Amino acid sequence: MNTTAKLSGLGAFIALLLTEVPEQYALYAAIFVFACSAAAAIIPPPHAGSRWAVAYQLMTTIGLNIGWAENHFKPGQSGVRVPVADKPAAKQAVVAAGIPVLNRKGQPEAPPVPGKSAS
């Protein structure tokens, strides 16, 4: 399932949930979502084995920090920010250091084929 379909489904689900909130409490529900988003932006994510990992992931989901959000929680993974032009060199440096490069599903990528450009 592609990202657009996932986000569309999640957006529809959230809209459905918000229609179930009585109108006099809608403001409080919106403030709760905003507070979860703000807290997720301020609080650093716990390490993958922490007992707080599930609570943090729930907070980021309620705060709609999903998909491409800067603070989207990926347990046990980190991101190395480099310019797009330097991405192939950064991947080679990481692989040369013996660190596996993970794909979007968190699985190690296949080693690059010599002579082919990395993307």
Side-chain angles (χ1 to χ4, degrees), residues 4-45:
T4 305
K6 289 178 186 176
L7 292 178
S8 298
L10 184 62
F13 178 72
I14 291 169
L16 176 68
L17 285 179
L18 289 176
T19 60
E20 298 301 318
V21 174
E23 195 168 323
Q24 68 265 27
Y25 301 118
L27 176 64
Y28 300 114
I31 289 172
F32 181 64
V33 170
F34 177 73
C36 286
S37 181
I42 294 169
I43 300 169

Side-chain angles (χ1 to χ4, degrees), residues 9 51 56 60 63:
R51 62 187 171 125
Y56 189 86
T60 60

Side-chain angles (χ1 to χ4, degrees), residues 32-119:
F32 181 64
V33 170
F34 177 73
C36 286
S37 181
I42 294 169
I43 300 169
H47 61 84
S50 172
R51 62 187 171 125
W52 293 103
V54 173
Y56 189 86
Q57 191 152 17
L58 181 64
M59 179 181 64
T60 60
T61 302
I62 291 170
L64 303 177
N65 295 337
I66 54 175
W68 289 96
E70 183 71 26
N71 55 353
H72 174 66
F73 179 54
K74 295 179 181 173
Q77 295 181 24
S78 67
V80 179
R81 299 179 61 80
V82 296
V84 174
D86 295 335
K87 184 178 176 182
K91 270 189 167 183
Q92 285 180 339
V94 169
V95 170
I99 302 169
V101 176
L102 305 178
N103 62 18
R104 292 176 189 231
K105 295 184 180 185
Q107 303 299 320
E109 287 184 355
V113 177
K116 287 188 85 176
S117 64
S119 56

